Short mmCIF file of all heavy atoms in Angstrom, two decimals:
data_model
loop_
_atom_site.label_atom_id
_atom_site.label_comp_id
_atom_site.label_asym_id
_atom_site.label_seq_id
_atom_site.Cartn_x
_atom_site.Cartn_y
_atom_site.Cartn_z
N LEU A 1 12.06 -9.64 6.00
CA LEU A 1 12.26 -8.48 5.12
C LEU A 1 13.12 -7.44 5.84
O LEU A 1 12.66 -6.77 6.75
CB LEU A 1 10.92 -7.86 4.74
CG LEU A 1 10.19 -8.45 3.53
CD1 LEU A 1 8.81 -7.82 3.40
CD2 LEU A 1 10.98 -8.23 2.24
N GLU A 2 14.37 -7.31 5.42
CA GLU A 2 15.27 -6.38 6.08
C GLU A 2 14.90 -4.92 5.79
O GLU A 2 15.19 -4.04 6.60
CB GLU A 2 16.71 -6.66 5.66
CG GLU A 2 17.25 -7.99 6.16
CD GLU A 2 18.67 -7.86 6.66
OE1 GLU A 2 19.43 -7.07 6.07
OE2 GLU A 2 19.02 -8.56 7.64
N ASN A 3 14.30 -4.66 4.63
CA ASN A 3 13.89 -3.28 4.30
C ASN A 3 12.36 -3.21 4.20
O ASN A 3 11.80 -2.74 3.21
CB ASN A 3 14.55 -2.80 3.01
CG ASN A 3 14.22 -3.68 1.82
OD1 ASN A 3 13.93 -4.87 1.96
ND2 ASN A 3 14.27 -3.10 0.63
N ARG A 4 11.71 -3.69 5.23
CA ARG A 4 10.26 -3.78 5.23
C ARG A 4 9.59 -2.43 4.98
O ARG A 4 8.62 -2.34 4.22
CB ARG A 4 9.80 -4.35 6.57
CG ARG A 4 8.28 -4.49 6.70
CD ARG A 4 7.91 -4.96 8.09
NE ARG A 4 6.47 -5.02 8.27
CZ ARG A 4 5.88 -5.24 9.45
NH1 ARG A 4 6.64 -5.43 10.52
NH2 ARG A 4 4.57 -5.27 9.54
N ALA A 5 10.09 -1.36 5.59
CA ALA A 5 9.46 -0.05 5.41
C ALA A 5 9.48 0.38 3.94
O ALA A 5 8.49 0.91 3.42
CB ALA A 5 10.16 1.00 6.27
N GLU A 6 10.60 0.14 3.27
CA GLU A 6 10.68 0.48 1.84
C GLU A 6 9.68 -0.33 1.03
O GLU A 6 9.03 0.20 0.12
CB GLU A 6 12.09 0.22 1.32
CG GLU A 6 13.12 1.25 1.75
CD GLU A 6 14.47 0.96 1.14
OE1 GLU A 6 14.94 -0.20 1.22
OE2 GLU A 6 15.06 1.89 0.56
N ILE A 7 9.58 -1.62 1.33
CA ILE A 7 8.67 -2.49 0.58
C ILE A 7 7.22 -2.09 0.83
O ILE A 7 6.38 -2.16 -0.07
CB ILE A 7 8.91 -3.97 0.96
CG1 ILE A 7 10.34 -4.37 0.57
CG2 ILE A 7 7.90 -4.87 0.26
CD1 ILE A 7 10.71 -4.08 -0.88
N GLU A 8 6.91 -1.66 2.04
CA GLU A 8 5.55 -1.19 2.31
C GLU A 8 5.23 0.06 1.50
O GLU A 8 4.11 0.20 0.97
CB GLU A 8 5.38 -0.93 3.79
CG GLU A 8 5.31 -2.21 4.61
CD GLU A 8 5.23 -1.96 6.10
OE1 GLU A 8 5.48 -0.81 6.53
OE2 GLU A 8 4.91 -2.91 6.84
N ARG A 9 6.18 0.98 1.38
CA ARG A 9 5.94 2.18 0.57
C ARG A 9 5.78 1.83 -0.90
O ARG A 9 4.91 2.37 -1.59
CB ARG A 9 7.08 3.18 0.77
CG ARG A 9 7.15 3.78 2.17
CD ARG A 9 7.99 5.04 2.21
NE ARG A 9 9.39 4.78 1.90
CZ ARG A 9 10.31 4.48 2.80
NH1 ARG A 9 9.98 4.37 4.08
NH2 ARG A 9 11.57 4.29 2.46
N LEU A 10 6.62 0.92 -1.38
CA LEU A 10 6.51 0.48 -2.77
C LEU A 10 5.18 -0.21 -3.02
O LEU A 10 4.50 0.04 -4.04
CB LEU A 10 7.66 -0.47 -3.10
CG LEU A 10 7.68 -1.06 -4.51
CD1 LEU A 10 7.85 0.03 -5.54
CD2 LEU A 10 8.79 -2.11 -4.64
N SER A 11 4.77 -1.06 -2.09
CA SER A 11 3.50 -1.79 -2.23
C SER A 11 2.32 -0.83 -2.22
O SER A 11 1.35 -1.02 -2.96
CB SER A 11 3.35 -2.82 -1.10
OG SER A 11 4.37 -3.79 -1.17
N LEU A 12 2.38 0.21 -1.39
CA LEU A 12 1.30 1.20 -1.36
C LEU A 12 1.18 1.91 -2.70
O LEU A 12 0.06 2.09 -3.21
CB LEU A 12 1.56 2.21 -0.23
CG LEU A 12 0.57 3.37 -0.12
CD1 LEU A 12 -0.85 2.84 0.07
CD2 LEU A 12 0.96 4.31 1.02
N ALA A 13 2.31 2.32 -3.27
CA ALA A 13 2.26 2.99 -4.57
C ALA A 13 1.69 2.06 -5.63
O ALA A 13 0.88 2.47 -6.48
CB ALA A 13 3.67 3.44 -4.96
N ARG A 14 2.08 0.79 -5.58
CA ARG A 14 1.58 -0.17 -6.57
C ARG A 14 0.09 -0.42 -6.39
O ARG A 14 -0.67 -0.49 -7.37
CB ARG A 14 2.37 -1.48 -6.41
CG ARG A 14 1.94 -2.59 -7.34
CD ARG A 14 2.94 -3.73 -7.26
NE ARG A 14 2.32 -4.99 -7.56
CZ ARG A 14 2.93 -6.17 -7.47
NH1 ARG A 14 4.19 -6.23 -7.07
NH2 ARG A 14 2.30 -7.29 -7.76
N LEU A 15 -0.36 -0.56 -5.14
CA LEU A 15 -1.78 -0.78 -4.89
C LEU A 15 -2.63 0.41 -5.37
O LEU A 15 -3.72 0.23 -5.91
CB LEU A 15 -2.01 -1.02 -3.40
CG LEU A 15 -1.71 -2.43 -2.88
CD1 LEU A 15 -1.63 -2.43 -1.37
CD2 LEU A 15 -2.77 -3.41 -3.36
N ARG A 16 -2.13 1.61 -5.15
CA ARG A 16 -2.88 2.78 -5.62
C ARG A 16 -2.99 2.79 -7.14
O ARG A 16 -4.04 3.15 -7.69
CB ARG A 16 -2.18 4.05 -5.11
CG ARG A 16 -2.46 4.36 -3.65
CD ARG A 16 -1.63 5.51 -3.14
NE ARG A 16 -2.10 5.98 -1.83
CZ ARG A 16 -1.39 6.72 -1.01
NH1 ARG A 16 -0.14 7.09 -1.34
NH2 ARG A 16 -1.88 7.09 0.16
N THR A 17 -1.92 2.41 -7.81
CA THR A 17 -1.96 2.34 -9.27
C THR A 17 -2.96 1.29 -9.73
O THR A 17 -3.74 1.52 -10.66
CB THR A 17 -0.55 2.00 -9.82
OG1 THR A 17 0.36 3.04 -9.45
CG2 THR A 17 -0.58 1.87 -11.34
N GLU A 18 -2.97 0.14 -9.08
CA GLU A 18 -3.89 -0.92 -9.45
C GLU A 18 -5.34 -0.54 -9.15
O GLU A 18 -6.25 -0.87 -9.92
CB GLU A 18 -3.51 -2.22 -8.74
CG GLU A 18 -2.18 -2.78 -9.23
CD GLU A 18 -1.70 -3.97 -8.42
OE1 GLU A 18 -2.45 -4.44 -7.53
OE2 GLU A 18 -0.56 -4.43 -8.66
N LEU A 19 -5.56 0.17 -8.06
CA LEU A 19 -6.91 0.61 -7.72
C LEU A 19 -7.43 1.59 -8.76
O LEU A 19 -8.60 1.53 -9.16
CB LEU A 19 -6.92 1.24 -6.33
CG LEU A 19 -8.28 1.68 -5.78
CD1 LEU A 19 -9.24 0.51 -5.72
CD2 LEU A 19 -8.11 2.30 -4.39
N ALA A 20 -6.57 2.47 -9.25
CA ALA A 20 -6.97 3.40 -10.30
C ALA A 20 -7.30 2.65 -11.58
O ALA A 20 -8.20 3.04 -12.34
CB ALA A 20 -5.86 4.42 -10.55
N HIS A 21 -6.59 1.56 -11.83
CA HIS A 21 -6.84 0.77 -13.04
C HIS A 21 -8.15 0.00 -12.93
O HIS A 21 -8.97 0.02 -13.86
CB HIS A 21 -5.69 -0.21 -13.27
CG HIS A 21 -5.96 -1.23 -14.34
ND1 HIS A 21 -6.02 -0.91 -15.68
CD2 HIS A 21 -6.20 -2.57 -14.26
CE1 HIS A 21 -6.28 -1.99 -16.38
NE2 HIS A 21 -6.40 -3.01 -15.55
N PHE A 22 -8.37 -0.67 -11.81
CA PHE A 22 -9.53 -1.54 -11.67
C PHE A 22 -10.81 -0.79 -11.28
O PHE A 22 -11.91 -1.31 -11.44
CB PHE A 22 -9.27 -2.62 -10.61
CG PHE A 22 -8.32 -3.69 -11.07
CD1 PHE A 22 -7.12 -3.89 -10.42
CD2 PHE A 22 -8.64 -4.50 -12.15
CE1 PHE A 22 -6.24 -4.88 -10.84
CE2 PHE A 22 -7.76 -5.50 -12.57
CZ PHE A 22 -6.56 -5.69 -11.91
N GLY A 23 -10.66 0.42 -10.75
CA GLY A 23 -11.84 1.14 -10.29
C GLY A 23 -12.23 0.68 -8.90
O GLY A 23 -11.42 0.13 -8.14
N ARG A 24 -13.47 0.89 -8.53
CA ARG A 24 -13.94 0.59 -7.18
C ARG A 24 -13.71 -0.88 -6.82
O ARG A 24 -14.14 -1.78 -7.55
CB ARG A 24 -15.43 0.92 -7.08
CG ARG A 24 -15.95 1.01 -5.66
CD ARG A 24 -17.35 1.58 -5.66
NE ARG A 24 -18.32 0.66 -6.27
CZ ARG A 24 -19.56 0.99 -6.57
NH1 ARG A 24 -19.98 2.23 -6.38
NH2 ARG A 24 -20.38 0.11 -7.09
N ASP A 25 -12.98 -1.11 -5.73
CA ASP A 25 -12.66 -2.47 -5.32
C ASP A 25 -12.47 -2.47 -3.80
O ASP A 25 -11.46 -1.95 -3.31
CB ASP A 25 -11.38 -2.96 -6.02
CG ASP A 25 -11.07 -4.41 -5.72
OD1 ASP A 25 -10.92 -4.76 -4.53
OD2 ASP A 25 -10.96 -5.21 -6.68
N PRO A 26 -13.40 -3.04 -3.05
CA PRO A 26 -13.31 -2.98 -1.58
C PRO A 26 -12.03 -3.58 -1.01
O PRO A 26 -11.49 -3.07 -0.02
CB PRO A 26 -14.55 -3.77 -1.13
CG PRO A 26 -15.51 -3.68 -2.27
CD PRO A 26 -14.64 -3.66 -3.50
N VAL A 27 -11.54 -4.67 -1.62
CA VAL A 27 -10.33 -5.31 -1.10
C VAL A 27 -9.13 -4.40 -1.26
O VAL A 27 -8.34 -4.19 -0.33
CB VAL A 27 -10.09 -6.66 -1.81
CG1 VAL A 27 -8.75 -7.25 -1.38
CG2 VAL A 27 -11.22 -7.64 -1.49
N LEU A 28 -8.96 -3.83 -2.45
CA LEU A 28 -7.82 -2.95 -2.70
C LEU A 28 -7.95 -1.65 -1.90
O LEU A 28 -6.95 -1.11 -1.42
CB LEU A 28 -7.69 -2.65 -4.19
CG LEU A 28 -7.40 -3.85 -5.10
CD1 LEU A 28 -7.22 -3.40 -6.54
CD2 LEU A 28 -6.16 -4.61 -4.63
N GLU A 29 -9.17 -1.15 -1.77
CA GLU A 29 -9.38 0.08 -0.99
C GLU A 29 -9.00 -0.15 0.47
O GLU A 29 -8.37 0.70 1.11
CB GLU A 29 -10.84 0.53 -1.11
CG GLU A 29 -11.19 1.07 -2.49
CD GLU A 29 -12.69 1.24 -2.68
OE1 GLU A 29 -13.45 0.85 -1.78
OE2 GLU A 29 -13.09 1.75 -3.74
N TRP A 30 -9.39 -1.31 1.02
CA TRP A 30 -9.03 -1.65 2.41
C TRP A 30 -7.51 -1.74 2.55
O TRP A 30 -6.93 -1.21 3.50
CB TRP A 30 -9.68 -2.97 2.79
CG TRP A 30 -9.21 -3.51 4.10
CD1 TRP A 30 -9.67 -3.19 5.34
CD2 TRP A 30 -8.16 -4.47 4.30
NE1 TRP A 30 -8.98 -3.90 6.31
CE2 TRP A 30 -8.06 -4.69 5.71
CE3 TRP A 30 -7.32 -5.18 3.45
CZ2 TRP A 30 -7.13 -5.58 6.26
CZ3 TRP A 30 -6.40 -6.06 3.99
CH2 TRP A 30 -6.30 -6.25 5.38
N ALA A 31 -6.86 -2.40 1.58
CA ALA A 31 -5.40 -2.56 1.65
C ALA A 31 -4.70 -1.21 1.57
O ALA A 31 -3.73 -0.96 2.31
CB ALA A 31 -4.93 -3.47 0.52
N VAL A 32 -5.15 -0.34 0.68
CA VAL A 32 -4.55 0.99 0.56
C VAL A 32 -4.70 1.75 1.87
O VAL A 32 -3.76 2.41 2.34
CB VAL A 32 -5.19 1.77 -0.61
CG1 VAL A 32 -4.83 3.25 -0.54
CG2 VAL A 32 -4.73 1.18 -1.95
N GLY A 33 -5.88 1.67 2.48
CA GLY A 33 -6.09 2.38 3.74
C GLY A 33 -5.18 1.88 4.85
O GLY A 33 -4.58 2.69 5.58
N ARG A 34 -5.06 0.55 4.98
CA ARG A 34 -4.20 -0.01 6.02
C ARG A 34 -2.74 0.36 5.80
O ARG A 34 -2.04 0.76 6.73
CB ARG A 34 -4.34 -1.54 6.04
CG ARG A 34 -5.60 -2.08 6.67
CD ARG A 34 -5.58 -1.99 8.20
NE ARG A 34 -4.40 -2.58 8.81
CZ ARG A 34 -4.26 -3.87 9.11
NH1 ARG A 34 -5.26 -4.72 8.87
NH2 ARG A 34 -3.14 -4.30 9.69
N LEU A 35 -2.27 0.21 4.56
CA LEU A 35 -0.87 0.50 4.29
C LEU A 35 -0.58 2.00 4.39
O LEU A 35 0.49 2.40 4.84
CB LEU A 35 -0.48 -0.02 2.90
CG LEU A 35 0.11 -1.43 2.86
CD1 LEU A 35 0.40 -1.83 1.41
CD2 LEU A 35 1.38 -1.54 3.69
N ALA A 36 -1.54 2.83 3.97
CA ALA A 36 -1.34 4.28 4.05
C ALA A 36 -1.15 4.72 5.49
O ALA A 36 -0.31 5.56 5.80
CB ALA A 36 -2.51 5.01 3.41
N ASP A 37 -1.95 4.14 6.40
CA ASP A 37 -1.81 4.47 7.82
C ASP A 37 -0.44 4.06 8.33
O ASP A 37 0.21 4.80 9.08
CB ASP A 37 -2.89 3.76 8.63
CG ASP A 37 -4.28 4.35 8.40
OD1 ASP A 37 -4.36 5.48 7.88
OD2 ASP A 37 -5.27 3.66 8.72
N ARG A 38 0.02 2.88 7.91
CA ARG A 38 1.31 2.40 8.39
C ARG A 38 2.46 3.24 7.82
O ARG A 38 3.38 3.60 8.54
CB ARG A 38 1.49 0.93 8.01
CG ARG A 38 2.80 0.34 8.50
CD ARG A 38 2.85 -1.15 8.30
NE ARG A 38 1.90 -1.83 9.18
CZ ARG A 38 1.78 -3.17 9.23
NH1 ARG A 38 2.52 -3.93 8.44
NH2 ARG A 38 0.93 -3.73 10.05
N VAL A 39 2.38 3.56 6.53
CA VAL A 39 3.44 4.35 5.90
C VAL A 39 3.48 5.76 6.48
O VAL A 39 4.56 6.33 6.68
CB VAL A 39 3.23 4.38 4.37
CG1 VAL A 39 4.13 5.44 3.72
CG2 VAL A 39 3.51 3.00 3.77
N ALA A 40 2.31 6.33 6.79
CA ALA A 40 2.27 7.68 7.34
C ALA A 40 2.98 7.76 8.69
O ALA A 40 3.49 8.83 9.07
CB ALA A 40 0.82 8.13 7.50
N ALA A 41 3.02 6.64 9.39
CA ALA A 41 3.67 6.63 10.71
C ALA A 41 5.17 6.38 10.62
O ALA A 41 5.87 6.45 11.63
CB ALA A 41 3.03 5.55 11.58
N GLN A 42 5.67 6.13 9.39
CA GLN A 42 7.09 5.85 9.22
C GLN A 42 7.86 7.14 8.97
O GLN A 42 7.42 7.99 8.19
CB GLN A 42 7.31 4.89 8.04
CG GLN A 42 6.72 3.51 8.20
CD GLN A 42 6.79 2.71 6.92
OE1 GLN A 42 7.26 3.21 5.89
NE2 GLN A 42 6.34 1.47 6.96
N PRO A 43 9.02 7.28 9.55
CA PRO A 43 9.89 8.40 9.18
C PRO A 43 10.57 8.09 7.85
O PRO A 43 10.62 6.95 7.42
CB PRO A 43 10.93 8.42 10.31
CG PRO A 43 11.01 6.99 10.75
CD PRO A 43 9.61 6.44 10.60
N GLY A 44 11.04 9.12 7.18
CA GLY A 44 11.83 8.88 5.97
C GLY A 44 11.14 9.33 4.70
O GLY A 44 10.26 10.18 4.72
N THR A 45 11.53 8.69 3.61
CA THR A 45 11.15 9.11 2.27
C THR A 45 9.66 8.96 2.02
O THR A 45 9.07 7.93 2.34
CB THR A 45 11.91 8.29 1.22
OG1 THR A 45 13.30 8.37 1.52
CG2 THR A 45 11.67 8.84 -0.18
#
């Protein structure tokens, strides 16, 4: 993935939308937490 950072930000936004749709979900909540930490450490948009 040449634009991995962008795809991680896009995936985080999508996961948050899906979590809001499905409600409480440990798998999605874990994924959002992991990706949020990684995205927060990235410079940029």
Side-chain angles (χ1 to χ4, degrees):
L1 274 174
E2 292 222 325
N3 59 333
R4 180 184 176 189
E6 285 183 310
I7 298 307
E8 287 177 346
R9 293 197 295 270
L10 178 64
S11 297
L12 176 58
R14 178 170 152 185
L15 280 165
R16 282 173 168 162
T17 298
E18 292 173 6
L19 184 58
H21 170 70
F22 287 118
R24 195 170 68 190
D25 185 302
V27 173
L28 297 183
E29 289 168 355
W30 171 84
V32 166
R34 284 285 308 275
L35 267 178
D37 289 342
R38 181 171 292 182
V39 168
Q42 296 171 358
T45 308

